[in-house]
Amino acid sequence: MALQTVIKIILLLFLGYAAFSDAFTKQISLVSAGLSFLAGLVLQIITSAFSFLDLALACAIGIVLAGVSRLSGEALGYGDSVLFITSGIFLGFTENIFLLLFSLLLCAVYSIFMMLIGKKKIKDSIAFAPFILGGYLCVLAIA
């Protein structure tokens, strides 16, 4: 099995665990995020798939989202920003941007649908990690 396939599987398992956890407990484990980040970092050192600048920009997406979380009173949870920092180390900048865009699109479609059928109101919160997992599946499909 190629190392790039292993990298994709590790990220898929991590995002799957985070999505399940967020959906049912509204929490994302910082321990699993930290361990996944370290695994991704080791794999990037081994493969040299991305430049340092690319990885720094990819992780910066999550840092910007942490700022959004802070400014919005955690309308977007800090755990979600940690997911994007971790995914950045695996995906690089371009794919992490696509991950963010697909995740937001899936979340928007779901939210609009749920409001139209009267199951959610505009101020209701929903777990975002499942949409990050869905976004990653979209990234895998187009990659």
Side-chain angles (χ1 to χ4, degrees):
M1 184 180 303
L3 195 52
Q4 289 302 324
T5 303
V6 171
I7 290 170
K8 289 176 183 176
I9 291 170
I10 290 171
L11 183 57
L12 182 64
L13 291 172
F14 165 65
L15 291 176
Y17 173 76
F20 182 83
S21 176
D22 193 24
F24 290 101
T25 68
K26 301 288 189 210
Q27 293 182 337
I28 294 171
S29 167
L30 293 180
V31 171
S32 68
L35 291 174
S36 296
F37 181 86
L38 289 175
L41 187 60
V42 167
L43 290 168
Q44 290 306 329
I45 290 169
I46 292 169
T47 64
S48 299
F50 301 105
S51 69
F52 175 78
L53 178 61
D54 192 52
L55 292 176
L57 290 172
C59 293
I61 294 167
I63 294 168
V64 168
L65 291 175
V68 169
S69 180
R70 173 85 171 137
L71 293 173
S72 68
E74 283 195 74
L76 175 73
Y78 285 114
D80 299 318
S81 61
V82 169
L83 293 181
F84 279 97
I85 293 169
T86 302
S87 64
I89 205 76
F90 284 90
L91 298 175
F93 179 71
T94 303
E95 286 188 352
N96 213 27
I97 284 287
F98 278 112
L99 175 62
L100 176 61
L101 294 176
F102 283 128
S103 302
L104 290 170
L105 178 64
L106 292 171
C107 186
V109 168
Y110 171 82
S111 298
I112 291 167
F113 177 75
M114 295 303 281
M115 286 188 291
L116 286 175
I117 64 170
K119 296 282 184 179
K120 295 282 183 185
K121 295 183 174 89
I122 199 160
K123 291 287 187 177
D124 289 347
S125 68
I126 56 172
F128 188 55
F131 300 103
I132 298 172
L133 175 61
Y136 182 56
L137 295 174
C138 292
V139 167
L140 288 176
I142 66 168

